[in-house]
Amino acid sequence: MAIAQTSRPRRRLGLGTLGALSLTVAGPLWAQGPLPGEQPVPQQQGEEGFAEYNPYRYLDWLPAWQLPPEMRPAQATACSGAFVAPPRNYRDADLLPESAPLRATADASEWLDDGTARLSGNVHITQGYRQLFADQVDINRGESTATLRGAIEIREPDLLVRGLAAEIRTDSQAADIEDATYVLHSEFVHGSASFASREASGELILIDGNYTRCEPGNVVWQMSGGEIHIDNVERQGVARNVRLEILDVPLFYLPYMRFPVGADRLSGVLFPSLSNSDENGWDIAIPYYWNIAPQMDATIVPRYIQYRGTGAEVEVRHLSQLFNSELRAAGLPNDKGGNDEDAEELIRQGFPEELVLPAKGKNRWLINVEQQGNANTFWRTDIDYAKVSDPDYFRDLDTANLSVSAQSSLNQRVAATLFSDHWSATLRTQDYQQLVKDRFDTYRQLPRLDVDGNYRWGDWSLSMDHEITRWDHDDQQTIRFIADVGDPDSVTERSRNFVNADRVRLDYELQWEKQWLWGYVTPGVAARYLGYRIDPLFLNPDASDSPDASAAQFTLDSGLFFERDASVFGFDLVQTLEPRLFTLLSSDADQSGFINVSTDPLDGGNDLLFDTSLFTFSYDQLFRDSRFTGNDRIDDADRVALGLTSRIIDPLSGRDLFALSGGQIFYLQDRKTTLTGITEDAPRSEFAARLESRPIQPLRISSELIYDDDRGELNRGNASLRYLDSDFRLFNLSYRYLRRSEVGDLDGELVRGSIEQLDASMVLPVSPTTALLARANYDMTFNRELEYMAGVEYDSCCYMVRLAWRRTLDNDLADVVSPEELEFDEGIYIEFQLKGLASLGTSVTSMLNQGIPNFEQREQLKP
């Protein structure tokens, strides 16, 4: 940056207690722009003639074309420029003001008769990182004041204040400025005021001023009038008697408001959340954020729902050296029942109101506790507990400000762990609250103790897992539900007896793992034991109250890597061939004692299946040592699995341009151990194939097929395409197929068919600020849409608006009406965010995060 020159003689002054003044040929380090009310003048840019006009250079604003190369974004952004402070390349610029001498330069200087020292013409005063520029400065040593006139400029790191006149108290460095403009560079904040005061603490006070994060010349919103306090040290602001103006139109009068300067949060009323639906009417929530302490805060949200009543939500967070805790609670007393026409019609047809609208007139509530203990010592705790008053809570009310939601169940887990170098012991309780009304409750683990040991010596490893669990359930449970929505007399009650039991599971495994560049081999031997002690209530007289089983197993996992260089259309590639073999051999484990242990006529009292089911078959399942999730069965099916993978790799990036895998399991004998005790005699499994491709960095393609070669049928398949590039264009396309022997038609009759669904979504930017949003989820089984959504996003530098239309199945009666008879819910949603201040509504963002894959990642990557 060129330094302004002057031909007038310079004078040196001695100012006593004000410090040493070193007068050198120097001027303002940043080109002076217009003061408020002045007309800026275009500037010439070297040999290229007149550059594009920048009328806001006086605010340190540089449009994108003027930014230094290192500050220019790689792609177009919503902001067309940035606030950039000039370099501080003068002497002592990195020192604190109290640790640095005061230095000054000027075109002329003189002593006045009253003892005041006057500096005039391009005055530049520095003291450490603080700088002052003015046309004239009068320094009164006796009163410790300095009066500045003309083009006033006060600079500190990340702060610029300009004005027409100012008075500075030299002992405290506080300043009063008339007709001021200000900039907080890193926070993208700027504004003006009739009068500004810069306190010694660093706080900036604006009288009859304004505050905004919008670009200069494109101010969409601002706070104006009254008094605004900005504390750039504590990163917070306070506004009194101000107006919130959007496009110069006053919308809200705010007698008092606190707001963050930057990303920090602080106490104060946040912007309300506002929505409207046919069932609930107007839903208004007004959050209040309470910054209790640096390690503790709370958000209190009074909430009014037109057709249900008035309630509240509370979230408290606490962070300490030992624990990170979060408590959330919500309540709505005496629910009015909502305005649900479908439910009212069912009641008019004769269905019981307590089944159709079970929460009407009831107190609704939610509680959620999450806590993580310190993992840096020898212990750790983990609490994740959530409970609601009724299964319909989230469908009826959802939450206005709490990050708690669920569809089918809520987790209720409390765990504590002690660990050392080789051992860990975890004691936990585990339960789930069912949110589906036609299902029985799951068993509780009250408690479960896991003691696990792991040792490694070179290529050898030993694992020793011990588990003791008490499976607990109410002895009997009765559920009541509507079986046929077309028949008011179809109200059904179903009861079941439950057998409680203790379970012991022991797994010891010794492995030798050897790897080379060309392959690997991992043989292992294991001993497994499973035993129960069953409570006598409802125990089948023919069943043992202490059944058990054990098995010795041998596993072998091995693979080879072959690769060769290749070239396609002049591009160098690497092709691999990776065969894999997995073998499981097991002694017989007689587990017939686990079947029909109960007198319950429904299913034998769960057949001692507390946490166990079959894995969904896939390519990865070929190489697991068990077909079962959970610990209620020992897999003793002798088998050999063969797999083959071939990859085409870009040698420069290491990216898999194409990868194809396929394999199958061959059983050496019939599978005697199953979930139900029925022997399975198929000689081999289905054929599993998987395709993965990343031909370019932003694009991912994947597909998985499960093929029954005995019947010549495709049992399951899916394919997906995911695209997200550096310009934030996002495209998703997926197809899902599941062969099923029978499904229900619209008349409740059973028909042959399969499940086929297609899901497509996109976010398409049409400019740096505007993007189109869309999603279509279609069920080809019943030829109907599951969800359609279309919208537009406008994301500027200082505000963001999302407008969306959505048509989706109404799940409010999902437990009453069959899936084929659910009606559609249609609505228009809007979200408006004033960046750096507040947002109005968050429903659109929530819908997009849930409905469009990678949308949340897109938001995190955006500058």
Side-chain angles (χ1 to χ4, degrees):
M1 185 68 64
I3 298 178
Q5 301 290 328
T6 180
S7 60
R8 285 195 262 176
R10 298 275 182 162
R11 299 186 180 182
R12 186 182 302 274
L13 292 179
L15 298 180
T17 59
L18 292 179
L21 292 179
S22 173
L23 295 182
T24 60
V25 181
L29 298 178
W30 203 235
Q32 292 284 347
L35 292 172
E38 295 183 349
Q39 183 66 30
V41 179
Q43 297 179 351
Q44 190 172 3
Q45 187 180 21
E47 299 177 356
E48 299 180 2
F50 288 96
E52 185 177 344
Y53 185 34
N54 178 13
Y56 303 105
R57 192 178 178 90
Y58 71 100
L59 292 177
D60 291 350
W61 173 259
L62 294 183
W65 59 270
Q66 282 188 337
L67 289 174
E70 65 273 10
M71 296 188 64
R72 294 174 187 170
Q75 64 277 329
T77 63
C79 298
S80 62
F83 293 102
V84 182
R88 293 183 294 112
N89 52 8
Y90 56 87
R91 189 176 178 185
D92 300 330
D94 296 329
L95 297 179
L96 297 173
E98 56 270 22
S99 303
L102 188 145
R103 307 177 188 278
T105 64
D107 291 342
S109 62
E110 60 180 314
W111 287 104
L112 302 182
D113 294 339
D114 60 359
T116 299
R118 172 169 292 175
L119 307 179
S120 58
N122 291 325
V123 181
H124 179 207
I125 301 176
T126 67
Q127 189 172 22
Y129 61 63
R130 185 173 294 127
Q131 299 181 78
L132 302 177
F133 298 91
D135 290 339
Q136 178 180 303
V137 177
D138 292 342
I139 302 175
N140 189 316
R141 182 177 58 183
E143 298 180 0
S144 299
T145 61
T147 303
L148 289 69
R149 296 182 179 87
I152 308 300
E153 183 178 329
I154 302 174
R155 287 190 176 276
E156 294 183 6
D158 203 33
L159 173 66
L160 165 65
V161 182
R162 289 178 175 273
L164 291 178
E167 182 176 284
I168 298 177
R169 290 172 290 280
T170 58
D171 52 354
S172 65
Q173 302 301 323
D176 297 327
I177 306 104
E178 297 179 9
D179 292 331
T181 59
Y182 68 92
V183 176
L184 302 177
H185 298 81
S186 64
E187 304 303 336
F188 216 89
V189 169
H190 67 99
S192 62
S194 298
F195 178 83
S197 173
R198 199 278 186 191
E199 300 298 312
S201 62
E203 185 178 21
L204 187 64
I205 301 175
L206 310 174
I207 306 299
D208 191 21
N210 55 64
Y211 170 98
T212 186
R213 284 191 78 250
C214 297
E215 297 182 11
N218 188 23
V219 177
V220 176
W221 69 266
Q222 63 179 2
M223 288 191 298
S224 300
E227 185 174 316
I228 302 174
H229 293 235
I230 302 174
D231 191 334
N232 199 30
V233 177
E234 298 295 332
R235 322 300 283 176
Q236 63 181 356
V238 175
R240 295 182 175 88
N241 300 317
V242 295
R243 306 178 304 275
L244 177 61
E245 299 177 355
I246 298 181
L247 297 177
D248 295 328
V249 177
L251 292 184
F252 298 102
Y253 167 73
L254 304 169
Y256 179 85
M257 179 181 179
R258 301 188 71 182
F259 57 92
V261 177
D264 296 339
R265 302 180 69 183
L266 66 153
S267 300
V269 177
L270 306 179
F271 261 56
S273 171
L274 180 67
S275 64
N276 182 274
S277 66
D278 293 335
E279 183 179 345
N280 288 340
W282 288 104
D283 187 343
I284 304 172
I286 305 176
Y288 177 83
Y289 178 75
W290 182 14
N291 190 17
I292 303 172
Q295 296 82 24
M296 187 175 184
D297 61 13
T299 304
I300 304 169
V301 189
R303 186 181 182 189
Y304 168 75
I305 306 176
Q306 183 180 2
Y307 297 139
R308 293 194 179 275
T310 302
E313 298 177 355
V314 177
E315 179 183 59
V316 180
R317 303 185 301 178
H318 179 257
L319 179 64
S320 70
Q321 294 182 348
L322 297 180
F323 296 102
N324 180 15
S325 307
E326 298 182 17
L327 170 65
R328 304 177 183 93
L332 178 73
N334 192 22
D335 187 349
K336 298 177 183 178
N339 181 33
D340 193 328
E341 295 182 0
D342 296 332
E344 295 295 338
E345 177 61 27
L346 290 175
I347 294 173
R348 286 192 292 268
Q349 294 176 11
F351 288 94
E353 183 180 71
E354 65 271 17
L355 290 182
V356 179
L357 293 174
K360 186 175 182 179
K362 302 294 182 61
N363 296 327
R364 317 288 296 275
W365 51 266
L366 173 153
I367 187 168
N368 172 229
V369 179
E370 294 184 14
Q371 185 185 83
Q372 293 78 41
N374 188 3
N376 295 324
T377 58
F378 63 92
W379 62 274
R380 179 171 58 242
T381 60
D382 182 15
I383 300 175
D384 183 5
Y385 183 92
K387 189 175 180 64
V388 291
S389 56
D390 56 90
D392 294 322
Y393 186 92
F394 292 107
R395 280 183 294 215
D396 291 345
L397 305 177
D398 206 343
T399 59
N401 198 68
L402 304 180
S403 57
V404 183
S405 63
Q407 293 183 348
S408 60
S409 64
L410 287 173
N411 189 25
Q412 298 174 349
R413 181 177 186 269
V414 179
T417 302
L418 298 175
F419 53 88
S420 63
D421 292 339
H422 300 289
W423 287 91
S424 66
T426 300
L427 181 65
R428 71 179 181 185
T429 63
Q430 177 78 66
D431 194 9
Y432 295 94
Q433 182 182 6
Q434 291 292 335
L435 301 182
V436 182
K437 290 178 286 188
D438 59 355
R439 294 182 187 174
F440 291 105
D441 292 337
T442 59
Y443 277 85
R444 298 178 289 268
Q445 300 179 43
L446 294 177
R448 172 171 175 166
L449 175 63
D450 290 272
V451 180
D452 301 329
N454 289 278
Y455 289 87
R456 190 170 188 89
W457 309 275
D459 298 328
W460 292 88
S461 63
L462 173 65
S463 63
M464 296 172 287
D465 298 338
H466 313 76
E467 178 231 312
I468 302 175
T469 305
R470 171 63 182 177
W471 295 101
D472 183 79
H473 198 289
D474 294 339
D475 295 333
Q476 293 180 311
Q477 183 182 1
T478 300
I479 57 176
R480 187 167 178 254
F481 57 94
I482 298 174
D484 183 359
V485 73
D487 181 7
D489 296 326
S490 66
V491 176
T492 302
E493 284 192 1
R494 182 178 297 171
S495 297
R496 178 179 157 185
N497 301 330
F498 289 86
V499 171
N500 297 327
D502 300 324
R503 184 181 74 189
V504 176
R505 177 70 185 244
L506 306 178
D507 292 279
Y508 286 61
E509 188 166 7
L510 178 66
Q511 285 186 333
W512 180 68
E513 182 178 358
K514 191 64 176 179
Q515 296 184 359
W516 303 271
L517 293 176
W518 47 266
Y520 67 92
V521 59
T522 306
V525 292
R528 308 189 188 280
Y529 172 81
L530 173 62
Y532 295 89
R533 186 179 63 186
I534 305 174
D535 291 356
L537 186 63
F538 306 127
L539 180 65
N540 189 330
D542 297 330
S544 169
D545 63 353
S546 56
D548 63 355
S550 60
Q553 295 181 347
F554 170 79
T555 59
L556 175 65
D557 190 5
S558 59
L560 297 173
F561 302 111
F562 301 97
E563 67 176 46
R564 69 183 182 94
D565 295 331
S567 179
V568 178
F569 301 114
F571 294 96
D572 293 332
L573 302 171
V574 175
Q575 182 182 10
T576 71
L577 194 65
E578 306 169 24
R580 184 175 181 182
L581 180 146
F582 178 84
T583 300
L584 171 67
L585 300 176
S586 178
S587 63
D588 291 337
D590 183 5
Q591 298 168 68
S592 58
F594 302 159
I595 309 299
N596 295 324
V597 300
S598 170
T599 57
D600 188 276
L602 285 180
D603 56 9
N606 207 30
D607 280 341
L608 297 184
L609 293 174
F610 299 109
D611 63 353
T612 302
S613 62
L614 283 172
F615 278 110
T616 300
F617 188 68
S618 65
Y619 180 78
D620 290 331
Q621 179 60 28
L622 299 176
F623 311 108
R624 294 181 184 271
D625 60 7
S626 178
R627 296 170 291 139
F628 305 107
T629 67
N631 285 336
D632 288 311
R633 294 292 186 269
I634 297 176
D635 188 351
D636 61 353
D638 294 348
R639 58 186 180 268
V640 174
L642 297 176
L644 181 64
T645 298
S646 181
R647 308 175 194 270
I648 297 178
I649 302 172
D650 179 0
L652 297 179
S653 65
R655 186 174 69 248
D656 282 355
L657 302 179
F658 181 87
L660 178 63
S661 302
Q664 196 168 21
I665 297 175
F666 298 90
Y667 296 102
L668 306 182
Q669 60 181 5
D670 295 343
R671 276 92 65 211
K672 299 179 181 179
T673 301
T674 63
L675 294 177
T676 60
I678 300 175
T679 300
E680 297 176 352
D681 58 358
R684 58 184 177 273
S685 72
E686 302 156 303
F687 183 83
R690 181 172 65 192
L691 168 68
E692 295 176 317
S693 177
R694 196 169 184 178
I696 57 177
Q697 183 65 27
L699 178 62
R700 296 175 182 267
I701 301 172
S702 63
S703 177
E704 188 152 15
L705 304 176
I706 305 299
Y707 179 77
D708 189 337
D709 55 352
D710 283 339
R711 297 183 179 181
E713 294 178 340
L714 182 66
N715 286 344
R716 190 173 72 254
N718 63 73
S720 66
L721 179 150
R722 302 280 185 262
Y723 180 89
L724 175 60
D725 62 18
S726 58
D727 293 323
F728 307 109
R729 291 174 294 192
L730 192 159
F731 299 96
N732 300 293
L733 180 63
S734 64
Y735 169 80
R736 175 174 172 259
Y737 172 84
L738 176 63
R739 177 175 297 279
R740 196 164 65 167
S741 60
E742 54 187 29
V743 294
D745 67 3
L746 296 181
D747 297 324
E749 300 294 331
L750 293 179
V751 297
R752 297 286 174 178
S754 302
I755 296 176
E756 289 186 83
Q757 294 181 355
L758 187 66
D759 197 344
S761 58
M762 76 166 190
V763 179
L764 179 62
V766 295
S767 75
T769 57
T770 306
L772 303 179
L773 317 168
R775 185 200 181 195
N777 189 10
Y778 191 79
D779 185 351
M780 292 181 284
T781 304
F782 295 103
N783 294 320
R784 64 172 183 177
E785 66 269 29
L786 299 175
E787 180 179 359
Y788 283 167
M789 182 168 57
V792 61
E793 171 191 86
Y794 183 84
D795 190 1
S796 75
C797 209
C798 70
Y799 74 97
M800 185 271 293
V801 178
R802 289 188 178 126
L803 178 67
W805 164 83
R806 185 190 192 199
R807 174 180 167 87
T808 185
L809 289 176
D810 184 358
N811 290 317
D812 290 335
L813 294 176
D815 293 337
V816 178
V817 179
S818 63
E820 294 77 21
E821 295 178 292
L822 288 174
E823 298 295 330
F824 287 94
D825 187 14
E826 191 170 349
I828 296 177
Y829 306 84
I830 188 170
E831 179 179 327
F832 187 55
Q833 178 183 352
L834 305 179
K835 294 185 178 180
L837 192 62
S839 61
L840 183 62
T842 58
S843 58
V844 179
T845 296
S846 178
M847 287 190 300
L848 296 173
N849 286 338
Q850 295 175 7
I852 300 181
N854 289 335
F855 184 84
E856 190 170 1
Q857 180 183 1
R858 171 184 178 266
E859 294 301 286
Q860 295 172 353
L861 293 175
K862 286 172 61 178

